[in-house]
Amino acid sequence: MTKTHQRGGTYFLAPLIAGALALASPLPAAAQAPAPAQPAFGIPKEGVTFETGDTWQQNGQRMRLYGVQACIRGTTFTNQAGGTVDCGEASLSYLAAVIRDTSPSCVPVAQIAGAPATIIVVCTAQVGGQTLDLGTILVSQGFAFASFSNDAKPVYMPYLVAELTAKQAKRGLWAASDLPHPNTLLFQSVAKK
């Protein structure tokens, strides 16, 4: 597990997040459905352990972004300088920087049993006077992907649209010609079983 990275900063993320404004989507349907009000919570500046580019622990609880799939740690791509980079670490670093710079507010939408239990969350951040969905920021900037259900359907279609737009523009990780797309790898591992 990796503690908060000190990479990025408002100066680094501002132009990237500004691009997400054009792709800003409403909250996922899971967050819009009428349900008992769940209290919103912030992500603290200290004591957060980032596990992947879509999952972190805070206050002894594991949080995972709804509908988002990060690069898998241990997979690599070649950056523009010709160096080999861990794709999962790149996703993780970007998530940590966005959280640090935007101080998102999250709402729990589901829980998966385990030790510790995983709380599925939808998070929003204030950027340039607008409220943006954290998943949209990550996916539209090319540092995360739309997750798929076991029946190979996107969990949240606007994230797939944001992913395809980022891919076409070669944003973020999409600039690499050898990007190890996590959904391709996950579907391959399921097919082998």
Side-chain angles (χ1 to χ4, degrees):
M1 290 184 215
T2 305
K3 293 285 184 187
T4 304
H5 290 277
Q6 295 302 314
R7 183 175 160 228
T10 303
Y11 62 92
F12 171 73
L13 291 175
L16 297 175
I17 294 174
L21 292 173
L23 294 171
S25 64
L27 294 178
Q32 295 175 357
Q38 294 289 328
F41 62 90
I43 303 170
K45 296 284 184 188
E46 301 291 326
V48 174
T49 303
F50 292 91
E51 296 179 3
T52 69
D54 59 36
T55 305
W56 67 93
Q57 286 196 34
Q58 67 181 67
N59 303 322
Q61 295 183 307
R62 177 176 287 133
M63 308 293 166
R64 181 170 178 148
L65 285 173
Y66 172 82
V68 175
Q69 175 62 56
C71 254
I72 298 170
R73 292 177 81 176
T75 62
T76 60
F77 66 92
T78 306
N79 67 14
Q80 293 179 345
T84 300
V85 178
D86 184 298
C87 196
E89 285 291 325
S91 283
L92 182 151
S93 294
Y94 193 78
L95 172 67
V98 171
I99 286 175
R100 184 193 61 237
D101 291 349
T102 66
S103 301
S105 176
C106 302
V107 175
V109 295
Q111 185 168 326
I112 301 171
T118 300
I119 300 169
I120 307 299
V121 297
V122 173
C123 302
T124 58
Q126 295 294 316
V127 179
Q130 295 187 14
T131 302
L132 298 180
D133 174 65
L134 180 59
T136 300
I137 294 170
L138 300 173
V139 176
S140 69
Q141 295 309 305
F143 286 92
F145 309 88
S147 64
F148 280 75
S149 62
N150 291 339
D151 59 357
K153 293 182 181 169
V155 171
Y156 184 57
M157 185 58 78
Y159 289 165
L160 182 58
V161 173
E163 178 181 325
L164 295 173
T165 303
K167 179 181 179 181
Q168 183 177 17
K170 297 186 188 265
R171 280 192 209 109
L173 300 172
W174 287 109
S177 61
D178 58 348
L179 174 66
H181 196 293
N183 290 323
T184 301
L185 298 172
L186 292 169
F187 284 131
Q188 287 172 350
S189 71
V190 169
K192 290 179 183 177
K193 291 182 180 180

